[in-house]
Amino acid sequence: NAGVTQTPKFQVLKTGQSMTLQCAQDMNHNSMYWYRQDPGMGLRLIYYSASEGTTDKGEVPNGYNVSRLNKREFSLRLESAAPSQTSVYFCASRTGTSGDYEQYFGPGTRLTVT
Amino acid sequence: GENVEQHPSTLSVQEGDSAVIKCTYSDSASNYFPWYKQELGKGPQLIIDIRSNVGEKKDQRIAVTLNKTAKHFSLHITETQPEDSAVYFCAARGLRDSSYKLIFGSGTRLLVRP
């Protein structure tokens, strides 16, 4: 049981390049989340998927798109990377059961855009 | 919008001393307050949480207290050990909708000096 896995661990992009961050969970969770973490700002929600087939915007969705590929996988895409997207990205999942609030986090992807 | 403020941003204590981290939240309807520990290079991990119908919760050396009237909650770590050194995040469950989104504080870097 690996929990939440993310690939890649590190990535360097040039401004304007695109890439997809991958996330998968093996806990049979219904809900999945993408956050970014910047120094002094905690974690901010980019997008989330309450259940397979649905996605919604969080606090900071501009410049990102997501795909809930199936119940296990939730990807985050940067179509045209900008230096402001330099950050550490975390994926998280939750059972989706009413009243069960705990989110389980992956190890993160450190992205640098030059 | 919903906001969670966390203080202090850094905290240095001597091994064996206690550490206290405080958070305030803006949404009086929030009902779930988790604390996450993040070690270097890893994703956040839940260490304790509290719901709005409880005033205090303990788990060995850690405890969380909640004051709903004042809209603040605190993490208490007693008998600190060097392995407690990490970044700690508080969060509150926003209740604008039923998405179970968490609003995070900006984090506290705790250093336990041997």
Side-chain angles (χ1 to χ4, degrees):
Chain A
N1 189 339
V4 180
T5 57
Q6 293 182 237
T7 55
K9 290 191 188 307
F10 302 94
Q11 183 71 49
V12 178
L13 290 178
K14 294 187 188 302
T15 298
Q17 287 185 319
S18 62
M19 80 160 295
T20 300
L21 281 65
Q22 307 286 355
C23 173
Q25 52 89 12
D26 61 2
M27 296 176 283
N28 200 36
H29 285 175
N30 289 309
S31 302
M32 297 184 75
Y33 306 80
W34 275 107
Y35 293 89
R36 59 178 289 172
Q37 183 178 37
D38 302 294
M41 299 189 74
L43 292 100
R44 292 181 294 167
L45 183 65
I46 305 171
Y47 269 93
Y48 66 98
S49 172
S51 60
E52 187 178 356
T54 69
T55 60
D56 285 286
K57 296 178 180 179
E59 285 180 79
V60 288
N62 292 345
Y64 305 96
N65 283 301
V66 290
S67 295
R68 183 74 183 267
L69 304 170
N70 47 55
K71 190 171 185 180
R72 289 186 64 248
E73 299 172 289
F74 188 37
S75 63
L76 179 71
R77 182 158 178 85
L78 287 70
E79 291 292 351
S80 178
S84 60
Q85 295 178 305
T86 293
S87 189
V88 182
Y89 292 85
F90 288 99
C91 177
S93 70
R94 188 180 70 85
T95 62
T97 301
S98 177
D100 186 353
Y101 305 140
E102 181 177 356
Q103 294 188 18
Y104 297 79
F105 284 82
T109 294
R110 185 174 294 275
L111 175 67
T112 301
V113 183
T114 62
Chain B
E2 298 163 43
N3 189 44
V4 175
E5 293 190 1
Q6 182 171 348
H7 300 281
S9 57
T10 59
L11 180 60
S12 180
V13 300
Q14 194 70 38
E15 181 178 358
D17 287 350
S18 295
V20 180
I21 303 170
K22 299 181 179 181
C23 288
T24 58
Y25 59 97
S26 59
D27 185 351
S28 57
S30 294
N31 67 346
Y32 173 68
F33 308 91
W35 285 91
Y36 283 84
K37 176 183 181 182
Q38 185 178 24
E39 297 177 337
L40 196 61
K42 297 185 178 180
Q45 184 172 15
L46 181 73
I47 54 171
I48 195 167
D49 57 15
I50 192 168
R51 302 195 180 211
S52 58
N53 59 348
V54 175
E56 183 176 4
K57 184 177 179 181
K58 288 184 179 180
D59 183 2
Q60 299 183 334
R61 294 186 298 108
I62 60 173
V64 57
T65 58
L66 171 65
N67 183 327
K68 286 193 296 181
T69 302
K71 291 190 288 185
H72 68 69
F73 57 112
S74 300
L75 177 71
H76 304 254
I77 306 174
T78 59
E79 301 173 18
T80 53
Q81 301 168 3
E83 52 265 39
D84 294 329
S85 295
V87 179
Y88 292 81
F89 291 96
C90 64
R93 180 200 165 200
L95 280 180
R96 278 190 189 173
D97 52 47
S98 60
S99 64
Y100 294 83
K101 288 184 285 190
L102 294 177
I103 309 299
F104 284 84
S106 54
T108 296
R109 184 173 300 277
L110 174 65
L111 174 65
V112 180
R113 305 186 306 274

